[in-house]
Amino acid sequence: MASTFSLVINAGGQSRRMGQDKALLVVPTNQHPLLAHIMLRLHHLPIEQMIVVSNHLPLTPLAALAVPVTLVADAYPGTGALGGIATGLQLCDAWGIFVACDMPLVRLPVFEFLCKLADEQTAEGGYAWDAVVPRIDGYAQPLHALYRRTVLPAIQKRLAAGELRATGFLDDVRVRWVSETELCPLDPDFRSFFNANTPEEWQTAMHWLASEV
């Protein structure tokens, strides 16, 4: 039986380079806040719940969604993306689909492929992987990835040791690395992985988004 997933969006950043909260930026093509826009682009995935990790977001931007959303405070404040991943995983039953809140161009086919990889089984019938993580330009993409709840102890161990690199715990679990070659047919320009961190990057992303319509 195919797995079901929780969609977890990490919206805990300070948005210093953007100058305003990235999660609340209004997307011109549909007039939704970016947070809701990302969820709507991915809502056809086999998702059983949607989770937003944030210490400061109001519920208002989530009102555009027709499905319930759980807003949870970061349980590990000051620990960056790794703490956000741990916080989200605590609410996941099995697999979590993790996305940063500044990725306006996430693509459904890319995540459908990642979910398919997450379903791969061992000869004994168990899950083959604990994490499914793309690599773009040689860099892991920890907030465009899938994790099983079973990796939570490995993350908590790193947090307790003060090791906050978002990808450090991957050395301790079974990772299905996903190559650019595999992803290219689904997203030739890898725009799904584009982070809009500055006003200039936001304008670039909105230009690309408008070209999809």
Side-chain angles (χ1 to χ4, degrees):
M1 181 181 294
S3 301
T4 55
F5 300 82
S6 300
L7 176 62
V8 184
I9 299 184
N10 189 356
Q14 300 300 312
S15 302
R16 291 189 181 93
R17 286 189 287 166
M18 185 64 73
Q20 57 182 305
D21 199 321
K22 292 182 287 188
L24 301 181
L25 290 169
V26 176
V27 177
T29 54
N30 56 27
Q31 295 301 304
H32 289 310
L34 179 55
L35 182 63
H37 165 82
I38 292 171
M39 290 181 171
L40 290 168
R41 282 176 75 91
L42 300 180
H43 79 279
H44 286 300
L45 293 171
I47 295 168
E48 60 183 1
Q49 63 176 335
M50 293 189 180
I51 300 164
V52 175
V53 179
S54 175
N55 288 323
H56 57 274
L57 278 180
L59 288 173
T60 306
L62 307 180
L65 300 167
V67 296
V69 178
T70 299
L71 182 63
V72 58
D74 192 339
Y76 305 88
T79 59
L82 188 62
I85 294 170
T87 299
L89 273 176
Q90 290 176 341
L91 299 181
C92 295
D93 293 327
W95 281 97
I97 300 168
F98 283 78
V99 186
C101 74
D102 58 4
M103 291 180 156
L105 297 152
V106 289
R107 299 197 59 172
L108 180 64
V110 172
F111 276 100
E112 287 176 333
F113 178 63
L114 300 183
C115 289
K116 181 179 178 181
L117 296 177
D119 265 337
E120 291 182 345
Q121 306 285 303
T122 64
E124 293 75 27
Y127 283 114
W129 313 110
D130 302 307
V132 178
V133 185
R135 273 200 183 111
I136 304 296
D137 290 332
Y139 292 97
Q141 303 294 314
L143 284 178
H144 190 299
L146 276 59
Y147 307 109
R148 287 180 66 204
R149 183 185 169 91
T150 50
V151 307
L152 187 54
I155 296 176
Q156 291 171 329
K157 181 179 179 181
R158 297 277 178 163
L159 288 168
E163 299 172 10
L164 303 184
R165 189 164 57 95
T167 56
F169 77 97
L170 296 175
D171 293 335
D172 306 324
V173 301
R174 298 172 302 165
V175 182
R176 172 53 160 92
W177 295 105
V178 187
S179 69
E180 291 185 12
T181 301
E182 293 175 285
L183 294 168
C184 190
L186 305 171
D187 187 3
D189 298 312
F190 307 115
R191 291 178 179 176
S192 185
F193 300 89
F194 184 80
N195 298 93
N197 289 310
T198 66
E200 294 75 21
E201 289 170 346
W202 174 253
Q203 291 302 319
T204 296
M206 292 306 97
H207 173 73
W208 288 338
L209 196 62
S211 70
E212 293 182 357
V213 178

